[in-house]
Amino acid sequence: MGFYDDHSPNRYKTRKGGKFGFFSGLIGGIIGALLVAMIYPGIFGGGTNQTSTETNKGNKNQTITKNVSLDVTTDVTKAVDKASKGVVGITNLQSANFWSNGNGETEEAGVGSGVIYKKAGDIIYIVTNHHVVEGATELEVTLADSTKVAAKVRGSDVWTDLAVVEMSAKGIDDDLISEFGDSEALKIGEPVMAIGNPLGLQFSGSVTQGIVSGVNRTVPVDINKDGIPDWHAEVIQTDAAINPGNSGGALINIAGQVIGINSMKIAQSAVEGIGFSIPINYVIPIIDDLEKYGEVKRPAMGVSLRNVSEVAAYHQQQTLKLPNNVSEGIMVEQVVPNSSADKAGLQELDVITELDGEKVADVLELRKYLYNHKKVGDSMKVKYYRAGKVNEITLTLSDETRM
């Protein structure tokens, strides 16, 4: 009456069921958490993602970082490792001034690159560019390990912008000798690397990567700086960065073989990523001559020439008496006495239009035909106009260096 006494038979069931429900919920929650952890381990920090550093925070908020070292070896790194030992720096030293000439004082006139390509007895041969060694009183070669060695010019050729430098082979290992590849086998889009010393020796051994952008390119070269091209250089075009100081360095393929000697770069504000390298197949016969003779043996006719296009129209008609349909060719300005041309009967004011049946429009084409298709001692047919009449002679080409 004044108190409540539950004598119902279900009074204990209700309390027992409450406990059971609590423990069942707890166990279910634990099992669910475990399942989530197994399916999504990253939620609880137990993921399998690996990073290059490991970080732990201590009780005092101290961070401990462990660096993980990675060994990255690729075809590119293998190629560079193989070829870079043979690429050297070449310092052009010249007399300090006019008054110091002869007293041994020299100063640095420029720095370029070179490629060690041969070891013969006690001499090491290095190929580089003509403009790298031009005017040098002395040369100093800096090896990949920073060792400096005195050197000298063996031979140089302005037409191809190639030169051979020689130095002592003492202490030079055979693994510094570069391996030449086949530039004729190059394909557009093929990966290449340029190795050299851009901007000087402080960046020695620099490597830039690119692709072959073009093969069999020709670039006009003005050798005497008169604004008229004197030669067409045959080059490989690449977008690998080639900067001042890279000249004479190596362009290599993915096998670490030298397939070009870096030479020129178009340095215009509107042009970027266009560099040029002399194909190694073209380089080899040139450096063979430079190594043997100190110069390139080229055939010569024994004449001085001028483009007909540079002659006034009045003189084309009145002096040279050329037919109206002849507006191209090469006028003979002078014939060297006792030369091949002299012996064959060429005279001043003759106008050459064909060599061995091949039309030649100007001096550049004539020179290119001679240098690329003829050798000293070869015979050559020359078609020319004299006083309006066409004639043809055969002459035997002589050594240009002896003219």
Side-chain angles (χ1 to χ4, degrees), residues 183 185-193 209-217 235-240 251-253 259:
S183 56
L186 288 175
K187 297 179 180 179
I188 294 177
E190 180 177 340
V192 289
M193 287 74 71
Q209 185 178 11
I211 61 171
V212 174
S213 305
V215 294
N216 301 321
R217 300 292 201 211
V235 294
I236 301 165
Q237 180 187 336
T238 177
D239 65 346
L251 188 71
I252 66 171
N253 59 18
I259 45 85

Side-chain angles (χ1 to χ4, degrees), residues 87-89 116 141-149 167 172 176:
V87 179
V88 300
I116 298 175
V141 171
T142 303
L143 303 178
D145 64 358
S146 299
T147 301
K148 297 184 182 299
V149 183
M167 69 177 196
I172 304 299
L176 267 63

Side-chain angles (χ1 to χ4, degrees), residues 283-319:
V283 169
I284 291 173
I286 301 297
I287 61 177
D288 282 348
D289 267 10
L290 294 177
E291 187 182 317
K292 293 175 184 176
Y293 312 114
E295 59 192 7
V296 178
K297 297 289 185 180
R298 290 194 175 93
M301 297 170 60
V303 291
S304 59
L305 305 168
R306 184 179 180 184
N307 294 329
V308 168
S309 59
E310 299 172 19
V311 178
Y314 172 83
H315 287 293
Q316 289 184 25
Q317 298 294 322
Q318 300 300 319
T319 306

Side-chain angles (χ1 to χ4, degrees), residues 240-258:
I242 299 174
N243 296 289
N246 275 119
S247 288
L251 188 71
I252 66 171
N253 59 18
I254 202 68
Q257 299 171 322
V258 179

Side-chain angles (χ1 to χ4, degrees), residues 229-279:
D230 300 296
W231 182 244
H232 275 165
E234 297 181 13
V235 294
I236 301 165
Q237 180 187 336
T238 177
D239 65 346
I242 299 174
N243 296 289
N246 275 119
S247 288
L251 188 71
I252 66 171
N253 59 18
I254 202 68
Q257 299 171 322
V258 179
I259 45 85
I261 300 300
N262 301 324
S263 180
M264 296 170 290
K265 178 180 168 67
I266 295 179
Q268 299 178 12
S269 58
V271 178
E272 191 171 327
I274 300 181
F276 297 108
S277 185
I278 307 170

Side-chain angles (χ1 to χ4, degrees), residues 168-234:
S168 171
K170 184 178 179 180
I172 304 299
D173 296 329
D174 290 341
D175 63 352
L176 267 63
I177 311 301
S178 300
E179 178 184 348
F180 286 170
D182 181 6
S183 56
E184 292 293 329
L186 288 175
K187 297 179 180 179
I188 294 177
E190 180 177 340
V192 289
M193 287 74 71
I195 306 177
N197 308 300
L199 306 181
L201 295 177
Q202 66 269 35
F203 298 111
S204 63
S206 291
V207 180
T208 55
Q209 185 178 11
I211 61 171
V212 174
S213 305
V215 294
N216 301 321
R217 300 292 201 211
T218 56
V219 177
V221 180
D222 181 10
I223 293 175
N224 57 10
K225 308 300 181 185
D226 63 354
I228 301 174
D230 300 296
W231 182 244
H232 275 165
E234 297 181 13

